[in-house]
Amino acid sequence: MADGGESSINLDYPLKMVASNASNWVVSGYNSFGQLNPSYSGQTIQQFQEFQPPFESNSLLLSCSWSYIAVADGCSLQLQGFVSGGIKIIKSITTDISINSLASCDNFCLILLENGKVYKCSLQNDKEKLEEVNFQRNLTIPVESNFHHGIRHVACGNKIMAAIGTSNEVFAGVTQVYQLPKTIRPKLLVCGFEHALLLTFSGDIYSWGNGLRGQLGNDVSSVEEVPVLVEALAGIEVTHISASGWHSCAISSFGDLYAWGYNSNGQLGIRVFKNESCFLKTPAVYPLPQLIDVICRCAGSNRINCTPIKVATGARHTVLLMDCGSIFATGWNVYGQLGSGNTKILDAFEFIMNVTCNVENTKIICGSWCTFIGF
Protein backbone atom coordinates (compact mmCIF):
# COMPACT_ATOMS: atom_id res chain seq x y z
CA MET A 1 0.00 0.00 0.00
CA ALA A 2 1.21 3.51 -0.74
CA ASP A 3 -0.11 4.54 2.67
CA GLY A 4 1.98 1.84 4.30
CA GLY A 5 1.31 -1.43 6.05
CA GLU A 6 3.30 -1.95 9.20
CA SER A 7 4.17 -4.47 11.83
CA SER A 8 6.07 -4.02 15.08
CA ILE A 9 8.07 -6.57 17.04
CA ASN A 10 10.07 -6.27 20.21
CA LEU A 11 13.78 -6.91 19.88
CA ASP A 12 14.71 -8.01 23.38
CA TYR A 13 16.35 -10.95 21.66
CA PRO A 14 18.99 -10.69 18.87
CA LEU A 15 17.43 -9.91 15.50
CA LYS A 16 18.56 -12.10 12.64
CA MET A 17 19.42 -9.87 9.70
CA VAL A 18 20.59 -10.68 6.20
CA ALA A 19 23.92 -9.04 5.44
CA SER A 20 24.38 -7.34 2.09
CA ASN A 21 26.81 -9.22 -0.15
CA ALA A 22 27.55 -6.11 -2.20
CA SER A 23 28.41 -3.71 0.59
CA ASN A 24 29.91 -3.90 4.07
CA TRP A 25 28.72 -1.55 6.78
CA VAL A 26 30.20 -0.55 10.13
CA VAL A 27 28.72 1.68 12.82
CA SER A 28 29.64 3.44 16.05
CA GLY A 29 27.88 5.73 18.50
CA TYR A 30 24.85 5.93 20.78
CA ASN A 31 22.96 2.64 21.12
CA SER A 32 20.76 2.94 24.23
CA PHE A 33 17.61 2.11 22.26
CA GLY A 34 19.16 -0.73 20.26
CA GLN A 35 18.98 1.39 17.13
CA LEU A 36 22.48 0.51 15.92
CA ASN A 37 22.67 -3.05 17.18
CA PRO A 38 19.78 -4.48 19.23
CA SER A 39 21.84 -7.45 20.39
CA TYR A 40 24.64 -5.27 21.78
CA SER A 41 24.00 -4.50 25.45
CA GLY A 42 26.19 -1.41 25.71
CA GLN A 43 24.88 2.14 25.69
CA THR A 44 27.68 3.19 23.35
CA ILE A 45 29.64 1.54 20.55
CA GLN A 46 33.01 3.25 20.80
CA GLN A 47 34.79 1.47 17.96
CA PHE A 48 33.35 0.66 14.57
CA GLN A 49 31.65 -2.73 14.53
CA GLU A 50 29.82 -4.60 11.78
CA PHE A 51 26.32 -3.44 10.94
CA GLN A 52 24.09 -5.90 9.11
CA PRO A 53 21.42 -4.16 7.03
CA PRO A 54 17.92 -5.67 7.03
CA PHE A 55 17.86 -5.87 3.23
CA GLU A 56 20.23 -7.65 0.87
CA SER A 57 21.03 -4.84 -1.53
CA ASN A 58 23.88 -2.68 -2.75
CA SER A 59 21.62 0.37 -3.07
CA LEU A 60 20.40 0.80 0.48
CA LEU A 61 19.00 4.11 1.67
CA LEU A 62 19.89 4.89 5.28
CA SER A 63 19.02 7.83 7.49
CA CYS A 64 19.23 8.23 11.25
CA SER A 65 18.49 10.46 14.20
CA TRP A 66 19.77 10.18 17.78
CA SER A 67 17.20 7.54 18.80
CA TYR A 68 16.39 5.50 15.68
CA ILE A 69 17.55 4.54 12.21
CA ALA A 70 15.58 4.22 8.97
CA VAL A 71 16.68 1.82 6.23
CA ALA A 72 14.94 1.39 2.87
CA ASP A 73 15.31 -0.64 -0.28
CA GLY A 74 12.79 -0.59 -3.11
CA CYS A 75 9.33 -0.50 -1.56
CA SER A 76 10.46 -1.68 1.88
CA LEU A 77 11.20 0.58 4.85
CA GLN A 78 12.36 -0.42 8.31
CA LEU A 79 12.56 1.81 11.40
CA GLN A 80 14.53 0.56 14.38
CA GLY A 81 15.18 1.87 17.88
CA PHE A 82 12.97 4.14 19.99
CA VAL A 83 9.81 3.67 17.96
CA SER A 84 6.11 3.62 18.94
CA GLY A 85 6.95 4.41 22.54
CA GLY A 86 9.27 1.47 23.12
CA ILE A 87 12.94 0.60 22.78
CA LYS A 88 14.46 -2.07 20.54
CA ILE A 89 11.37 -1.88 18.35
CA ILE A 90 11.22 -2.50 14.62
CA LYS A 91 8.51 -1.00 12.46
CA SER A 92 8.24 -2.36 8.91
CA ILE A 93 6.41 -0.43 6.21
CA THR A 94 5.69 -1.33 2.58
CA THR A 95 4.84 1.16 -0.17
CA ASP A 96 3.41 0.67 -3.66
CA ILE A 97 6.05 2.93 -5.24
CA SER A 98 9.79 2.57 -4.77
CA ILE A 99 11.38 4.82 -2.18
CA ASN A 100 13.74 7.36 -3.69
CA SER A 101 15.24 8.96 -0.54
CA LEU A 102 14.87 9.31 3.23
CA ALA A 103 15.32 12.19 5.65
CA SER A 104 15.17 11.85 9.43
CA CYS A 105 14.76 14.13 12.43
CA ASP A 106 13.90 13.38 16.05
CA ASN A 107 10.13 13.20 15.64
CA PHE A 108 9.52 11.80 12.16
CA CYS A 109 11.04 10.36 8.99
CA LEU A 110 10.33 11.80 5.54
CA ILE A 111 9.97 9.34 2.67
CA LEU A 112 10.28 10.54 -0.94
CA LEU A 113 8.83 8.12 -3.49
CA GLU A 114 9.90 7.83 -7.12
CA ASN A 115 6.60 9.40 -8.24
CA GLY A 116 7.56 12.65 -6.48
CA LYS A 117 5.23 12.27 -3.50
CA VAL A 118 6.45 12.78 0.07
CA TYR A 119 5.13 10.96 3.12
CA LYS A 120 5.81 11.46 6.82
CA CYS A 121 6.15 8.60 9.26
CA SER A 122 5.69 9.70 12.87
CA LEU A 123 7.94 7.79 15.24
CA GLN A 124 6.03 7.81 18.49
CA ASN A 125 2.57 6.60 17.49
CA ASP A 126 1.05 3.44 16.07
CA LYS A 127 -0.56 4.89 12.96
CA GLU A 128 -0.90 2.26 10.27
CA LYS A 129 -0.83 4.79 7.45
CA LEU A 130 1.81 7.23 6.33
CA GLU A 131 0.80 10.87 6.26
CA GLU A 132 1.23 12.58 2.89
CA VAL A 133 3.06 15.90 3.02
CA ASN A 134 1.43 18.41 0.67
CA PHE A 135 3.79 21.19 -0.32
CA GLN A 136 1.79 24.25 -1.39
CA ARG A 137 2.92 25.82 -4.63
CA ASN A 138 2.75 29.43 -5.75
CA LEU A 139 -0.16 29.45 -8.19
CA THR A 140 1.43 32.27 -10.17
CA ILE A 141 4.16 29.95 -11.43
CA PRO A 142 3.22 29.14 -15.06
CA VAL A 143 3.31 25.44 -15.91
CA GLU A 144 1.91 23.32 -18.70
CA SER A 145 -1.51 21.87 -17.97
CA ASN A 146 -0.20 18.30 -18.26
CA PHE A 147 2.92 18.96 -16.17
CA HIS A 148 3.36 16.53 -13.27
CA HIS A 149 4.05 18.29 -10.00
CA GLY A 150 6.39 16.45 -7.71
CA ILE A 151 9.30 16.70 -5.32
CA ARG A 152 12.79 15.63 -6.32
CA HIS A 153 14.81 16.54 -3.20
CA VAL A 154 13.69 16.53 0.44
CA ALA A 155 15.49 17.14 3.73
CA CYS A 156 14.60 17.96 7.32
CA GLY A 157 15.96 18.89 10.71
CA ASN A 158 14.37 19.17 14.13
CA LYS A 159 13.01 22.65 13.33
CA ILE A 160 13.09 22.81 9.53
CA MET A 161 11.71 20.99 6.52
CA ALA A 162 12.89 21.73 2.97
CA ALA A 163 12.18 20.40 -0.50
CA ILE A 164 12.94 21.07 -4.16
CA GLY A 165 10.11 20.71 -6.66
CA THR A 166 10.21 19.54 -10.25
CA SER A 167 9.58 23.12 -11.41
CA ASN A 168 12.68 24.37 -9.55
CA GLU A 169 10.69 25.55 -6.55
CA VAL A 170 12.33 25.71 -3.14
CA PHE A 171 9.98 24.90 -0.27
CA ALA A 172 10.88 26.22 3.17
CA GLY A 173 8.33 24.18 5.06
CA VAL A 174 5.07 23.27 3.36
CA THR A 175 3.67 26.78 2.86
CA GLN A 176 6.57 28.99 1.83
CA VAL A 177 7.74 28.58 -1.75
CA TYR A 178 10.41 30.40 -3.78
CA GLN A 179 11.11 30.03 -7.48
CA LEU A 180 14.70 29.44 -8.52
CA PRO A 181 15.85 30.74 -11.91
CA LYS A 182 15.97 28.13 -14.65
CA THR A 183 19.74 28.55 -14.80
CA ILE A 184 20.06 27.10 -11.28
CA ARG A 185 19.91 23.30 -11.26
CA PRO A 186 19.69 21.80 -7.75
CA LYS A 187 22.01 18.85 -7.09
CA LEU A 188 21.85 18.20 -3.35
CA LEU A 189 19.74 19.43 -0.43
CA VAL A 190 20.71 18.97 3.24
CA CYS A 191 19.47 20.29 6.57
CA GLY A 192 20.89 20.96 10.00
CA PHE A 193 18.73 21.39 13.07
CA GLU A 194 17.48 24.78 11.89
CA HIS A 195 19.07 25.58 8.53
CA ALA A 196 19.25 24.25 4.98
CA LEU A 197 21.95 24.13 2.29
CA LEU A 198 21.37 23.67 -1.43
CA LEU A 199 24.19 22.67 -3.80
CA THR A 200 23.73 23.36 -7.50
CA PHE A 201 25.27 21.53 -10.46
CA SER A 202 27.37 24.61 -11.16
CA GLY A 203 28.97 24.27 -7.71
CA ASP A 204 27.26 27.14 -5.88
CA ILE A 205 25.77 26.88 -2.39
CA TYR A 206 22.58 28.57 -1.22
CA SER A 207 21.57 28.67 2.45
CA TRP A 208 18.53 29.70 4.49
CA GLY A 209 16.97 29.23 7.90
CA ASN A 210 18.30 30.12 11.34
CA GLY A 211 21.83 31.51 11.19
CA LEU A 212 22.27 32.51 14.83
CA ARG A 213 25.29 30.21 15.14
CA GLY A 214 26.87 31.22 11.83
CA GLN A 215 25.70 28.07 10.05
CA LEU A 216 24.50 29.92 6.93
CA GLY A 217 28.04 30.94 5.97
CA ASN A 218 27.20 34.54 5.06
CA ASP A 219 28.69 36.40 8.03
CA VAL A 220 25.23 36.93 9.48
CA SER A 221 23.67 35.91 12.77
CA SER A 222 20.04 36.16 11.77
CA VAL A 223 17.25 34.24 10.10
CA GLU A 224 17.15 34.10 6.29
CA GLU A 225 13.72 33.17 4.96
CA VAL A 226 14.78 32.86 1.31
CA PRO A 227 17.74 30.99 -0.22
CA VAL A 228 20.82 33.23 -0.32
CA LEU A 229 24.04 32.54 -2.22
CA VAL A 230 26.99 31.77 0.05
CA GLU A 231 29.09 34.53 -1.45
CA ALA A 232 32.30 33.59 0.34
CA LEU A 233 32.43 30.42 -1.80
CA ALA A 234 31.06 31.97 -5.01
CA GLY A 235 33.40 31.19 -7.90
CA ILE A 236 34.66 28.06 -6.16
CA GLU A 237 33.18 24.89 -7.61
CA VAL A 238 31.82 22.91 -4.68
CA THR A 239 31.29 19.19 -5.24
CA HIS A 240 29.95 18.01 -1.89
CA ILE A 241 28.14 19.53 1.11
CA SER A 242 26.90 18.41 4.50
CA ALA A 243 24.98 20.04 7.34
CA SER A 244 23.81 18.89 10.74
CA GLY A 245 23.34 20.42 14.15
CA TRP A 246 24.51 24.02 13.81
CA HIS A 247 27.44 23.63 11.43
CA SER A 248 28.07 23.13 7.74
CA CYS A 249 30.85 21.72 5.54
CA ALA A 250 31.76 21.80 1.86
CA ILE A 251 34.41 20.24 -0.38
CA SER A 252 35.62 21.97 -3.54
CA SER A 253 36.69 20.44 -6.83
CA PHE A 254 40.27 21.33 -5.83
CA GLY A 255 39.96 19.06 -2.80
CA ASP A 256 39.72 21.84 -0.22
CA LEU A 257 37.58 21.40 2.88
CA TYR A 258 35.57 24.36 4.20
CA ALA A 259 33.64 24.46 7.48
CA TRP A 260 31.58 27.10 9.24
CA GLY A 261 29.08 27.58 12.04
CA TYR A 262 29.20 26.34 15.63
CA ASN A 263 32.51 24.94 16.91
CA SER A 264 31.64 24.22 20.54
CA ASN A 265 33.38 20.83 20.52
CA GLY A 266 35.84 21.18 17.66
CA GLN A 267 33.38 19.87 15.07
CA LEU A 268 34.80 22.28 12.49
CA GLY A 269 38.28 20.85 12.98
CA ILE A 270 39.39 24.10 14.63
CA ARG A 271 41.10 23.74 18.00
CA VAL A 272 39.15 24.68 21.12
CA PHE A 273 41.33 23.04 23.79
CA LYS A 274 44.78 24.07 25.00
CA ASN A 275 44.90 20.74 26.80
CA GLU A 276 42.30 18.26 27.96
CA SER A 277 41.11 20.51 30.79
CA CYS A 278 41.69 24.03 29.47
CA PHE A 279 39.86 25.88 26.69
CA LEU A 280 41.63 28.12 24.23
CA LYS A 281 40.31 31.64 23.77
CA THR A 282 38.96 30.97 20.30
CA PRO A 283 35.57 31.87 18.80
CA ALA A 284 32.74 29.40 19.28
CA VAL A 285 31.03 30.63 16.11
CA TYR A 286 32.55 31.00 12.63
CA PRO A 287 29.99 32.73 10.38
CA LEU A 288 32.21 32.52 7.28
CA PRO A 289 33.63 29.37 5.64
CA GLN A 290 37.03 28.44 7.07
CA LEU A 291 39.62 26.52 5.05
CA ILE A 292 40.49 23.44 7.10
CA ASP A 293 43.81 21.67 6.66
CA VAL A 294 43.77 17.89 6.96
CA ILE A 295 47.21 16.28 6.75
CA CYS A 296 46.98 12.69 5.61
CA ARG A 297 50.05 10.50 5.65
CA CYS A 298 48.24 7.39 4.48
CA ALA A 299 48.71 5.44 7.70
CA GLY A 300 52.41 6.17 8.00
CA SER A 301 53.64 6.83 4.46
CA ASN A 302 55.23 10.10 3.34
CA ARG A 303 52.44 10.99 0.91
CA ILE A 304 50.79 14.25 1.96
CA ASN A 305 48.78 15.24 -1.13
CA CYS A 306 45.63 13.25 -0.35
CA THR A 307 42.44 15.28 -0.72
CA PRO A 308 38.95 15.10 0.80
CA ILE A 309 36.17 13.72 -1.39
CA LYS A 310 33.23 13.24 1.02
CA VAL A 311 32.16 14.76 4.32
CA ALA A 312 29.36 13.91 6.74
CA THR A 313 28.21 15.78 9.84
CA GLY A 314 26.45 14.85 13.06
CA ALA A 315 25.06 17.10 15.75
CA ARG A 316 28.55 18.06 16.94
CA HIS A 317 30.96 15.87 15.00
CA THR A 318 32.32 15.60 11.46
CA VAL A 319 33.68 12.64 9.50
CA LEU A 320 35.81 12.98 6.38
CA LEU A 321 36.80 10.56 3.60
CA MET A 322 40.03 11.14 1.67
CA ASP A 323 40.69 9.96 -1.88
CA CYS A 324 43.26 7.49 -0.56
CA GLY A 325 40.63 5.76 1.57
CA SER A 326 41.67 7.29 4.90
CA ILE A 327 38.81 8.33 7.19
CA PHE A 328 39.28 11.22 9.62
CA ALA A 329 36.98 12.54 12.34
CA THR A 330 36.70 15.46 14.74
CA GLY A 331 34.31 16.81 17.36
CA TRP A 332 32.12 15.54 20.18
CA ASN A 333 32.72 11.90 21.03
CA VAL A 334 30.91 11.24 24.33
CA TYR A 335 28.95 8.38 22.74
CA GLY A 336 31.79 6.99 20.64
CA GLN A 337 30.38 8.52 17.45
CA LEU A 338 33.88 9.08 16.04
CA GLY A 339 34.62 5.34 16.12
CA SER A 340 38.03 6.01 17.65
CA GLY A 341 37.74 3.31 20.33
CA ASN A 342 37.31 5.81 23.19
CA THR A 343 35.19 8.81 24.15
CA LYS A 344 37.88 11.48 23.90
CA ILE A 345 36.69 14.68 22.22
CA LEU A 346 38.81 15.70 19.22
CA ASP A 347 39.22 19.33 18.13
CA ALA A 348 41.23 18.55 15.00
CA PHE A 349 40.79 15.89 12.36
CA GLU A 350 42.49 12.64 13.35
CA PHE A 351 42.90 9.40 11.41
CA ILE A 352 40.31 6.78 12.40
CA MET A 353 40.46 3.97 9.86
CA ASN A 354 41.24 3.15 6.25
CA VAL A 355 38.99 1.86 3.50
CA THR A 356 41.14 -0.33 1.29
CA CYS A 357 38.76 -0.78 -1.64
CA ASN A 358 35.77 0.81 -3.37
CA VAL A 359 36.73 4.29 -2.13
CA GLU A 360 34.61 6.21 -4.66
CA ASN A 361 31.49 4.29 -3.64
CA THR A 362 32.13 4.48 0.10
CA LYS A 363 29.23 6.05 1.99
CA ILE A 364 29.48 8.01 5.23
CA ILE A 365 26.20 8.74 7.02
CA CYS A 366 26.06 10.53 10.37
CA GLY A 367 23.16 10.68 12.76
CA SER A 368 23.20 13.16 15.62
CA TRP A 369 25.27 10.83 17.80
CA CYS A 370 26.39 8.05 15.48
CA THR A 371 28.33 7.30 12.29
CA PHE A 372 27.73 4.67 9.60
CA ILE A 373 30.32 3.78 6.95
CA GLY A 374 29.43 1.58 3.97
CA PHE A 375 32.10 0.27 1.62
Side-chain angles (χ1 to χ4, degrees), residues 158-304:
N158 289 345
K159 296 183 179 180
I160 190 170
M161 183 187 300
I164 306 296
T166 51
S167 296
N168 243 25
E169 315 101 312
V170 175
F171 296 95
V174 296
T175 59
Q176 293 177 297
V177 59
Y178 311 98
Q179 184 67 41
L180 292 174
K182 292 182 179 180
T183 55
I184 296 177
R185 297 171 54 226
K187 179 180 180 181
L188 181 62
L189 176 68
V190 296
C191 280
F193 285 162
E194 303 173 306
H195 74 293
L197 297 183
L198 171 65
L199 176 65
T200 71
F201 275 94
S202 62
D204 289 323
I205 301 175
Y206 290 80
S207 64
W208 66 96
N210 190 338
L212 294 180
R213 291 179 173 88
Q215 59 265 54
L216 300 185
N218 277 322
D219 201 18
V220 297
S221 296
S222 60
V223 176
E224 293 287 352
E225 294 186 356
V226 300
V228 176
L229 178 68
V230 179
E231 293 185 358
L233 296 178
I236 297 174
E237 183 184 3
V238 173
T239 58
H240 192 71
I241 60 172
S242 184
S244 188
W246 299 289
H247 72 292
S248 307
C249 294
I251 296 175
S252 75
S253 59
F254 294 105
D256 291 324
L257 173 66
Y258 296 90
W260 61 97
Y262 200 40
N263 192 49
S264 58
N265 295 94
Q267 57 263 52
L268 301 188
I270 300 173
R271 291 192 63 198
V272 295
F273 298 108
K274 184 176 181 180
N275 52 52
E276 291 186 2
S277 61
C278 181
F279 281 94
L280 290 169
K281 293 182 179 180
T282 57
V285 171
Y286 290 82
L288 286 172
Q290 307 293 306
L291 181 62
I292 308 299
D293 289 327
V294 181
I295 299 177
C296 177
R297 298 190 181 278
C298 292
S301 73
N302 292 322
R303 180 186 175 193
I304 58 174

Side-chain angles (χ1 to χ4, degrees), residues 193 244-247 262-268 313-318 330-335 337-338 345-346 367-369:
F193 285 162
S244 188
W246 299 289
H247 72 292
Y262 200 40
N263 192 49
S264 58
N265 295 94
Q267 57 263 52
L268 301 188
T313 50
R316 283 179 280 175
H317 74 286
T318 303
T330 187
W332 200 48
N333 193 35
V334 171
Y335 296 113
Q337 53 265 58
L338 303 186
I345 296 173
L346 301 178
S368 293
W369 300 341

Side-chain angles (χ1 to χ4, degrees), residues 68-204:
Y68 74 94
I69 65 171
V71 185
D73 179 57
C75 296
S76 299
L77 171 68
Q78 180 172 293
L79 305 173
Q80 178 174 299
F82 185 49
V83 179
S84 300
I87 67 173
K88 296 185 178 181
I89 297 295
I90 265 198
K91 179 183 286 189
S92 297
I93 297 173
T94 302
T95 60
D96 287 339
I97 307 296
S98 290
I99 299 170
N100 191 54
S101 67
L102 301 172
S104 298
C105 66
D106 289 354
N107 298 317
F108 58 84
C109 177
L110 292 181
I111 302 146
L112 173 61
L113 303 183
E114 286 189 350
N115 62 359
K117 291 188 175 183
V118 178
Y119 290 85
K120 180 170 70 174
C121 177
S122 297
L123 273 297
Q124 301 310 323
N125 60 45
D126 293 317
K127 286 184 178 180
E128 295 184 357
K129 293 184 178 181
L130 300 176
E131 176 187 350
E132 185 172 0
V133 180
N134 293 308
F135 293 93
Q136 299 180 16
R137 285 174 167 76
N138 187 338
L139 298 180
T140 62
I141 298 175
V143 295
E144 298 178 7
S145 59
N146 62 349
F147 187 83
H148 172 68
H149 285 304
I151 301 298
R152 46 182 180 170
H153 299 279
V154 67
C156 65
N158 289 345
K159 296 183 179 180
I160 190 170
M161 183 187 300
I164 306 296
T166 51
S167 296
N168 243 25
E169 315 101 312
V170 175
F171 296 95
V174 296
T175 59
Q176 293 177 297
V177 59
Y178 311 98
Q179 184 67 41
L180 292 174
K182 292 182 179 180
T183 55
I184 296 177
R185 297 171 54 226
K187 179 180 180 181
L188 181 62
L189 176 68
V190 296
C191 280
F193 285 162
E194 303 173 306
H195 74 293
L197 297 183
L198 171 65
L199 176 65
T200 71
F201 275 94
S202 62
D204 289 323

